[in-house]
Amino acid sequence: MTSRPAAATPGPPAGPASPTLPTLPAAERGATVVRDKVVARIAVRAAREALAAREDTSPARTRLAAPRAWVSVGGGTARLGLSLDLPYPIDLADASRRLQQHVSARVSQLTGIKVTEVTLAIEHLVPFGGAGLEGGRVQ
């Protein structure tokens, strides 16, 4: 007597049904932790981007020192501080406002952390380009 093989049926393998796990909302599954040091590096990079956005004040051309940042992160918000040099001559109020807005937006965009404050400490004003301040005297 010959037996015919049973036809294979597509689908899940026979046996006990696997239990379906309930899908939890993202907030209950876990959290992503972004360390203060990482947020500070992103803030420094954003400050460089903001300074380079003005074609006449690129950091390479003006010999600006690298910005430094400090950060306080807690409860999904961050407070940032930046210490940096700015090229001279420059409208300090406008440049400061643009730096604060750009750094705040980029850090929020890249980390998902709401930035509540960006404090600037302008260490030096560095003469650049045709300012004519390389050793002359004011008359």
Side-chain angles (χ1 to χ4, degrees):
M1 183 168 179
T2 60
S3 65
R4 294 181 153 166
T9 58
S18 62
T20 57
L21 298 175
T23 305
L24 295 174
E28 294 178 20
R29 286 183 282 198
T32 301
V33 177
V34 182
R35 297 196 183 275
D36 292 4
K37 185 176 180 177
V38 174
V39 177
R41 286 184 145 191
I42 292 170
V44 166
R45 180 67 177 248
R48 286 182 179 162
E49 288 174 0
L51 289 172
R54 295 181 48 150
E55 62 254 358
D56 60 338
T57 60
S58 66
R61 182 167 180 238
T62 57
R63 302 175 309 274
L64 298 176
R68 293 177 309 282
W70 57 94
V71 178
S72 174
V73 178
T77 63
R79 295 175 61 206
L80 306 174
L82 287 167
S83 174
L84 66 155
D85 294 349
L86 289 178
Y88 177 83
I90 193 169
D91 179 357
L92 289 176
D94 182 55
S96 297
R97 189 173 26 263
R98 287 176 189 254
L99 267 164
Q100 289 170 322
Q101 290 171 350
H102 184 78
V103 169
S104 176
R106 288 295 282 164
V107 168
S108 293
Q109 177 186 26
L110 295 172
T111 64
I113 298 171
K114 181 181 176 186
V115 177
T116 58
E117 180 182 338
V118 179
T119 303
L120 299 179
I122 300 169
E123 297 292 327
H124 302 101
L125 294 175
V126 180
F128 79 99
L133 300 174
E134 282 78 27
R137 221 177 117 178
V138 178
Q139 296 189 18

